[in-house]
């Protein structure tokens, strides 16, 4: 059983940066497709970024392209989401996710979820 624990959320002004981290306990994250999702109040959960095949493929939502970067620190078994040029519409609870295999299914979702971390961007 994999456990994912997020950290790094908080309150930041528009234009600022935050770095989210997701510590995975259990098997090495290099065996997983890993990603970050977010859910804003009254909205559905959406995929923000995904890293596949040990980082050789990275995918981003159009709304965050060029501003967010997903990466992995294999020595610490941690997935990172670097968020720059933050906007008020980025305000949401951010969730780390992982699936054993090549990609996170869009129909069934990931195998594992973190508990979420709040990101609030003030205008």
């Amino acid at each position: 059983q994999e456990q994912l624990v997020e950290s790094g959320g908080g309150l930041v002004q528009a234009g600022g940066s935050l770095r989210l981290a997701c510590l995975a306990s259990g098997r090495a994250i290099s065996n997983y497709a890993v990603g970050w999702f977010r859910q804003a109040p009254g909205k559905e959960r959406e995929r923000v970024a995904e890293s596949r095949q040990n980082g050789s493929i990275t995918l981003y939502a159009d709304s965050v392209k060029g501003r967010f970067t997903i990466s992995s620190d294999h020595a610490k078994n941690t997935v990172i989401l670097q968020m720059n040029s933050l906007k008020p519409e980025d305000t949401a609870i951010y969730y780390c996710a992982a699936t054993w295999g090549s990609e996170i299914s869009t129909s069934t979702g990931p195998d594992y979820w973190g508990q979420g971390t709040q990101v609030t961007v003030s205008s």
Side-chain angles (χ1 to χ4, degrees):
Q1 182 77 11
E2 192 69 51
Q3 283 192 315
L4 306 174
V5 179
E6 301 99 334
S7 61
L11 173 64
V12 65
Q13 288 189 329
S17 299
L18 281 175
R19 180 176 179 270
L20 304 183
C22 173
L23 174 62
S25 62
R27 290 178 282 195
I29 56 173
S30 57
N31 297 300
Y32 292 91
V34 292
W36 289 91
F37 291 70
R38 68 185 181 187
Q39 188 165 20
K43 295 187 177 181
E44 293 188 354
R45 191 173 297 189
E46 63 171 347
R47 185 184 66 180
V48 173
E50 183 176 337
S51 175
R52 300 175 178 175
Q53 298 180 25
N54 203 17
S56 62
I57 298 173
T58 54
L59 304 171
Y60 296 94
D62 287 343
S63 58
V64 306
K65 280 181 183 176
R67 301 188 297 122
F68 290 13
T69 303
I70 186 170
S71 62
S72 297
D73 183 339
H74 294 287
K76 297 180 180 179
N77 217 35
T78 298
V79 183
I80 306 296
L81 185 67
Q82 178 66 43
M83 306 186 294
N84 299 326
S85 302
L86 283 161
K87 305 175 181 180
E89 51 263 43
D90 294 319
T91 295
I93 299 174
Y94 283 70
Y95 298 90
C96 179
T99 286
W100 180 264
S102 59
E103 64 182 78
I104 295 175
S105 170
T106 55
S107 58
T108 61
D111 295 336
Y112 305 104
W113 289 102
Q115 83 286 356
T117 186
Q118 177 70 48
V119 170
T120 303
V121 184
S122 62
S123 58

